[in-house]
Amino acid sequence: MEKFELIAHPLPYTMGNGGDLIKHGLLAEFTDWHCREIPHSLTYYDPFGGRPWQEPVHDAVSKRIKTLEACPLKEVQSIHSEKYLGSGHIVSQISKQYENKITVFSSDSDSAARQDLEASGLNLIRLRGFNLEDGLSILQGSIDRSKHALILIDPFYDLENINKKILDKIIRKVKEDNTSIALFVLYYNAEINLWSQFKKINENLTGDSFNYISLQCDAIENSTIEGESKFHSSIILYTHNNYPNDKLNILSENVSKFSRNLTKAVGCPIGFDSQIIS
Ligand SMILES: C[S@@+](CC[C@H](N)C(=O)[O-])C[C@H]1O[C@@H](n2cnc3c(N)ncnc32)[C@H](O)[C@@H]1O
């Protein structure tokens, strides 16, 4: 499965920045929880897959990972401590600990990134209705509705295009299928109005009828880690309607604990919010 001989390509940001840590931490908590608590297998899709990993790991990122108390993200990132893994490998490493209960699919609009994702051992997404140039088209892709799935929507820096239409589609899919969706967004100070609009639409859509768990990391001023001093980041995981509440409460507690763990490791507050409808 893993072919770690691939040479990492330079990225315009440091993998393992604050945004990555909330995104990958929540993904690691969710997939570890699913493997432990839910008897069904899971299919994971990242249509905005990016590069599989970055090496060497930035010193400040390594220090944060070492400082974390035991948690699924720390366990996975410590397996290959010289590489910071992207989402597909984080999920596949967790899956390995549970007899490969999760199948991982990835894609990217950039053909070179797609080649790297495939060469590193990940499956490429091939679904009817999915256009690899447009990661959001996964929401219309022919995912088997009867099987448990998780989609990561991670369009990098694109908050202005995450409008009501997209959020509507996300909420509808989570409501109707066995698919959960994690939406990662980045925004900077000048976009605070855009963020407020997004939050309002999100609140109106989720109301008191949808379960979600979210983490938030505000910009970290004067950081030497590329990509976290300007951007605020947020990840919202909308879980589908077919998980039992007692299990969702365990997940919510795990993520809340992770937010406190990460707050200590990063040295600035990591926000946590959750709604589990009883
Ligand atoms: C931040 S990286 C993804 C990181 C990855 N999801 C992870 O967590 O490890 C964002 C990627 O999205 C890709 N991308 C940007 N716009 C896209 C689009 N419309 N459809 C598919 N991929 C896109 C970029 O090429 C880039 O590699």
Side-chain angles (χ1 to χ4, degrees), residues 107-205:
S107 186
D108 198 284
S109 56
D110 174 1
S111 62
R114 268 197 316 276
Q115 275 172 23
D116 285 355
L117 288 163
E118 191 172 28
S120 73
L122 300 177
N123 304 301
L124 289 186
I125 303 175
R126 291 188 179 89
L127 290 171
R128 217 173 348 101
F130 171 64
N131 166 10
L132 40 83
E133 305 285 337
D134 170 19
L136 287 170
S137 66
I138 190 93
L139 298 170
Q140 290 101 253
S142 57
I143 295 175
D144 185 340
R145 296 178 64 177
S146 65
K147 296 203 173 135
H148 288 253
L150 170 67
I151 300 173
L152 172 64
I153 304 281
D154 179 14
F156 194 30
Y157 167 58
D158 205 15
L159 183 57
E160 61 189 337
N161 289 319
I162 307 289
N163 50 26
K164 179 166 184 308
K165 203 168 138 207
I166 307 281
L167 279 173
D168 256 334
K169 274 192 200 170
I170 291 177
I171 294 292
R172 207 171 327 124
K173 189 149 190 70
V174 166
K175 185 177 171 192
E176 292 171 0
D177 296 357
N178 271 324
T179 300
S180 300
I181 298 181
L183 171 65
F184 181 68
V185 290
L186 289 171
Y187 59 98
Y188 60 101
N189 279 339
E191 291 179 312
I192 212 79
N193 288 341
L194 212 53
W195 171 243
S196 302
Q197 265 171 40
F198 167 87
K199 277 212 326 202
K200 210 167 268 165
I201 300 171
N202 190 45
E203 275 162 24
N204 287 340
L205 285 173

